[in-house]
Amino acid sequence: MPAPEVVAALATRFAAAPFPLGVSVARESLVEAARVLRDHHGYRYYLLGTATERADAIEVLHAVRHPATLDTLFLKTALPKDDPTVDSLVLVWSGADWNEREIYDLFGVRFRGHPDLRRILLPDEYEGHPLRKDFPMDAPWGFRP
Amino acid sequence: MDPLKVVEQPPAGSRLEDVAEEVVRFPGGGIALLRTEALFQWAQSSSLWPLTFGLACCAIEMMAAFAGRFDLDRFGVILRPTPRQADVMIIAGTVTIKMAPRIRTLYDQMAHPKWVISMGSCANSGDHYRNVYSVVPGVDHVIPVDVYVAGCPPTPEALMEGIFELQRKIRKGSRAGA
Amino acid sequence: MGVPPVTVEVVEREFGELALNMGPQHPSTHGVLRLVLHLSGETVVRAKPSIGYLHRGVEKLSEHLAYDQLAPVYERNDYLSPTANSLAYCLAVERLASIEVPRRGRFMRAFVAEWQRIASHLVWLGTLGLDLGGALGGGTTLYMYCFREREKILDFLEALTGTRFHTNVNMIGGCRYDLDAATAAWSERLAAAVEAALPELHAMSGDTPIFRERTRGVGVIPPDLALAVGVTGPTLRGSGIAHDVRKDAPYDAYGELPLSVPSRSAGDAEARFQVRIEEIRASLSLVRAIVAGLPAGPIFSRKPIKNPKATKVPAGEVYAAVESPRGELGMHLVSEGGPKPYRLKIRAPSFCNLQVVEYLLPGGLVADVVAILGSLDPVMGDVDR
């Protein structure tokens, strides 16, 4: 459970909605919320970056931790499916680099400001984003020896 | 802890007396009479040098097979890091679409005669990943395979049996690829 | 697209840099990792790691299999300590579905996890010997000795569970295999044997001057960089930050066991080496404590599973983490109430630890590349999933 005072501070400043693992902010205020979280509240420890495709939106989550209190907070933002772009958090936490490349690779979310946004787990010329719900699991892999 | 006495005798059919027509030993040496094909097959099967090609978990069992307990070195099997010096390629692990062209390149870089052992369920058929978007269901879609070793992962004894099977196949006359 | 060859290509630029492709087939890259090194002489100017050669789509596969079927699938991710992966998954499902694990089951899960931690560190040490000493140049001795000890552990696991390392012990709700008096006595003898072998292994590695020269001051990770990138595990503890999931957020039996978390402040490869050696000792005392304090009772709290597809988990989101030998292995599970997970993200410690390679390699020599990779101990199944 994330620290309630941090959740409350983010809720008042960014109109963030709390959920069991952290807070959800609007995508325009993601970078600012991240900076406040790191500099003001001290969450300097980056844990993971992930995405979940819901029925009407794609959620991008970044999990960060406070090195002293060891409190883990998930910062979530929801993106519309027809325009899945959001700002990159690489300049806030360096660990977001590869995590955002993986989200781009598997979900197709574009991160504005990412220094090197290309596929990381699949070949560069692969087409499609496999973790989307409309992507069949056994898509033809089109391999030519 | 007693070491497992897996193989105490040389594998059946692998001694010179088994492949030669006639062998006469005298102090200081000996004379053997055999066809050249039999001589080359005996030499090749007794010194198979695999390419270090562990992809996933089967690589760890392959490393255990080359370690002190199961010791493949006593069968003439030494790992070589470069395909130019290798006879056999042991594909140990899952073949993904990103890795498959590299496997093909390495196979092409090996010099004839060359053989392939597919180790583990992932290399045989893709295992439980066979329907995944990024997995090649079995390495025989990429390169021709001589021996399939089953298991997830196969124990080092199973890998040794697979190597003996390849040795038997070579002595029967297989030059390269199924 | 043409197949990139595994060759050296000379790139003529003003500074005379050489672009050297290392991997994905290479004896020292710990699996299928590809490093493109830009060298100026022997010094590394830039290093770009390229991963994905073992991407098996486990997260997509998770959405198509039932909850009870999934625990063995994750064991193949971090294949040097398989139970850590399935333990993280079982913890996540148990937290979301509020399933209570009986005390003996928790102790048994921790027991197998600690033995696999020792086995994983022995593989790390053996391959470090191969990396730093060369396959035909003396490093093989350390490799053979480490694997001899590891074979004893794998024999024990085979007697306990039936297989050598993909043991399949963790189930949602408890453990599958139990300890009886004979196996407990075997565990005590084994712990004594491994502990007796540790000074010899240390004499072959950390006490030798070549090893010290190759690891001291090499690959220093400053603590701020480690936190910003998300490094965890012995790699982080070698830089002075003593985080350990078993102590910070105890799961299973770790809240009741005497746990010591070793750490060093130097941040170089030698510090990480010393942390892992001490972790082997700490794990040995943990397994002794578990056998001594094993409570009676069942090891599994649910009814026998007749139909794996009948288990349903309530809707929600949860994050559960364990301490694998590589670091914090977490599972972020999203469920919408059905019999299969809606989304499962695996927080792989090797994935985050490997990011730091881009910062560590420039400025060092080519020979340090192998030492740094060995001290980070990545497992590519964990990186690529």
Side-chain angles (χ1 to χ4, degrees):
Chain A
M1 293 295 121
E5 60 275 7
V6 179
V7 171
L10 289 172
T12 42
R13 185 155 167 183
F14 296 104
F19 73 104
L21 291 177
V23 292
S24 173
V25 294
R27 70 166 151 169
E28 294 76 27
S29 30
L30 180 68
V31 181
E32 226 203 303
R35 276 192 214 279
V36 162
L37 204 52
R38 181 192 66 173
D39 300 325
H40 189 68
H41 295 284
Y43 283 72
R44 300 182 292 131
Y45 189 6
Y46 187 80
L47 220 52
L48 75 102
T50 176
T52 310
E53 185 182 353
R54 302 282 188 179
D56 51 349
I58 297 182
E59 296 174 343
V60 171
L61 294 96
H62 295 270
V64 291
R65 183 176 281 171
H66 193 286
T69 64
L70 300 172
D71 177 54
T72 308
L73 186 104
F74 275 69
L75 195 60
K76 173 159 76 167
T77 179
L79 315 173
K81 280 199 192 176
D82 51 3
D83 177 32
T85 42
V86 72
D87 291 315
S88 163
L89 293 186
V90 169
L91 294 175
V92 185
W93 294 290
S94 321
D97 188 351
W98 279 19
N99 283 281
E100 289 178 348
R101 276 179 68 188
E102 185 187 334
I103 300 174
Y104 164 66
D105 192 1
L106 298 175
F107 283 91
V109 174
R110 302 205 63 89
F111 290 88
R112 278 189 295 259
H114 193 282
D116 185 21
L117 193 68
R118 55 193 166 93
R119 287 189 183 266
I120 187 170
L121 293 177
L122 288 164
D124 289 327
E125 63 274 10
Y126 196 86
E127 284 169 15
H129 298 282
L131 248 63
R132 292 281 193 113
K133 294 290 177 188
D134 50 4
F135 191 94
M137 175 150 101
D138 49 356
W141 32 271
F143 167 73
R144 301 277 178 270
Chain B
M1 195 126 275
D2 293 353
L4 187 72
K5 292 200 172 78
V6 176
V7 174
E8 295 180 34
Q9 308 295 327
S14 67
R15 298 172 315 139
L16 182 60
E17 280 78 354
D18 299 322
V19 298
E21 315 274 332
E22 207 176 306
V23 176
V24 172
R25 292 193 192 269
F26 45 78
I31 299 177
L33 181 70
L34 66 168
R35 295 177 5 260
T36 43
E37 281 93 5
L39 176 65
F40 292 155
Q41 286 157 13
W42 176 68
Q44 282 160 1
S45 67
S46 307
S47 76
L48 284 172
W49 285 6
L51 178 66
T52 53
F53 204 59
L55 293 169
C57 352
C58 283
I60 310 298
E61 285 293 52
M62 189 171 68
M63 281 160 58
F66 285 98
R69 185 184 189 184
F70 299 103
D71 196 9
L72 281 170
D73 196 0
R74 44 191 174 141
F75 306 114
V77 172
I78 311 176
L79 281 178
R80 302 306 295 161
T82 161
R84 297 293 195 197
Q85 296 172 0
D87 298 307
V88 64
M89 198 161 152
I90 303 182
I91 311 285
T94 323
V95 179
T96 57
I97 52 176
K98 206 164 174 182
M99 197 64 201
R102 279 78 174 169
I103 296 180
R104 183 77 216 184
T105 308
L106 289 167
Y107 180 74
D108 291 337
Q109 284 178 344
M110 282 165 70
H112 277 283
K114 53 190 173 184
W115 297 273
V116 173
I117 296 180
S118 161
M119 177 187 178
S121 300
C122 285
N124 291 345
S125 68
D127 204 356
H128 52 270
Y129 303 110
R130 65 175 294 113
N131 289 325
V132 176
Y133 53 86
S134 68
V135 169
V136 177
V139 77
D140 46 10
H141 288 262
V142 183
I143 52 180
V145 174
D146 288 284
V147 174
Y148 295 86
V149 181
C152 183
T155 56
E157 294 101 313
L159 178 62
M160 279 164 63
E161 187 57 37
I163 292 181
F164 299 157
E165 183 67 37
L166 182 62
Q167 289 182 342
R168 285 191 281 271
K169 196 173 171 185
I170 295 172
R171 283 195 290 273
K172 274 205 222 101
S174 152
R175 292 279 301 166
Chain C
M1 186 184 140
V3 174
V6 184
T7 57
V8 168
E9 38 175 15
V10 179
V11 175
E12 292 294 324
R13 298 191 205 178
E14 310 106 61
F15 351 100
E17 260 179 32
L18 178 77
L20 182 66
N21 180 38
M22 193 173 151
Q25 184 266 335
H26 191 278
S28 294
T29 50
H30 293 265
V32 284
L33 168 67
R34 180 179 178 210
L35 283 175
V36 181
L37 301 170
H38 290 258
L39 306 173
S40 165
E42 280 281 318
T43 320
V44 178
V45 172
R46 216 159 51 104
K48 294 224 57 88
S50 170
I51 61 173
Y53 294 91
L54 197 56
H55 178 62
R56 295 180 277 200
V58 168
E59 296 177 1
K60 183 84 177 175
L61 194 62
S62 314
E63 299 172 15
H64 291 260
L65 291 176
Y67 281 101
D68 283 313
Q69 293 176 307
L70 276 174
V73 170
Y74 300 121
E75 292 200 332
R76 275 95 183 141
N77 271 5
D78 175 358
Y79 39 80
L80 287 182
S81 71
T83 49
N85 310 295
S86 57
L87 185 56
Y89 168 71
C90 291
L91 283 177
V93 177
E94 285 155 11
R95 264 179 223 178
L96 197 53
S98 307
I99 296 175
E100 189 62 39
V101 178
R103 251 186 108 219
R104 190 178 173 101
R106 282 188 272 133
F107 271 70
M108 280 306 299
R109 296 208 294 206
F111 179 73
V112 181
E114 289 307 312
W115 270 122
Q116 292 211 328
R117 187 185 311 273
I118 300 171
S120 166
H121 282 331
L122 284 172
V123 175
W124 157 77
L125 187 58
T127 49
L128 193 64
L130 281 179
D131 289 344
L132 294 183
L136 296 175
T140 322
T141 314
L142 181 59
Y143 167 77
M144 296 292 178
Y145 275 67
C146 287
F147 269 70
R148 181 183 69 177
E149 306 307 318
R150 183 180 146 88
E151 288 295 324
K152 297 176 191 168
I153 300 177
L154 293 183
D155 268 351
F156 170 69
L157 285 177
E158 191 175 4
L160 179 68
T161 65
T163 60
R164 285 153 60 94
F165 54 94
H166 288 318
T167 48
N168 202 3
V169 288
N170 297 318
M171 297 203 288
I172 301 172
C175 185
R176 191 174 257 124
Y177 301 106
D178 205 351
L179 206 63
D180 58 1
T183 331
W186 189 343
S187 167
E188 289 293 317
R189 286 198 308 273
L190 186 59
V194 174
E195 198 164 34
L198 271 183
E200 191 179 29
L201 296 177
H202 198 265
M204 273 192 267
S205 54
D207 286 343
T208 56
I210 297 180
F211 192 94
R212 277 203 304 265
E213 286 301 311
R214 287 201 69 176
T215 53
R216 189 166 288 177
V218 163
V220 179
I221 307 181
D224 290 329
L225 176 69
L227 289 179
V229 167
V231 171
T232 51
T235 318
L236 184 65
R237 295 196 276 280
S239 293
I241 303 175
H243 284 185
D244 187 325
V245 182
R246 296 173 292 171
K247 194 164 214 106
D248 304 333
Y251 53 92
D252 270 1
Y254 291 107
E256 310 171 45
L257 291 170
L259 180 67
S260 67
V261 177
S263 77
R264 294 278 185 280
S265 54
D268 57 3
E270 192 186 17
R272 298 192 276 275
F273 163 82
Q274 285 164 350
V275 165
R276 287 196 179 96
I277 295 287
E278 286 195 14
E279 275 187 10
I280 299 181
R281 290 210 170 88
S283 291
L284 284 169
S285 59
L286 270 176
V287 299
R288 287 198 175 106
I290 291 176
V291 170
L294 194 61
I299 51 172
F300 186 59
S301 68
R302 294 159 66 203
K303 290 197 279 290
I305 301 165
K306 296 253 170 55
N307 179 13
K309 301 194 178 144
T311 315
K312 287 196 175 35
V313 170
E317 232 176 302
V318 74
Y319 175 74
V322 303
E323 179 78 18
S324 87
R326 263 128 229 108
E328 171 164 344
L329 202 155
M331 299 258 177
H332 173 243
L333 174 64
V334 177
S335 162
E336 298 218 325
K340 302 177 183 174
Y342 185 75
R343 163 91 172 110
L344 191 120
K345 155 82 181 174
I346 303 170
R347 194 257 172 207
S350 306
F351 183 75
C352 303
N353 289 359
L354 207 57
Q355 279 188 75
V356 87
V357 148
E358 267 176 281
Y359 301 91
L360 289 186
L361 295 186
L365 300 175
V366 173
D368 293 337
V369 169
V370 169
I372 292 171
L373 274 183
S375 70
L376 288 179
D377 194 15
V379 167
M380 295 318 287
D382 201 23
V383 174
D384 295 333
R385 282 152 283 140

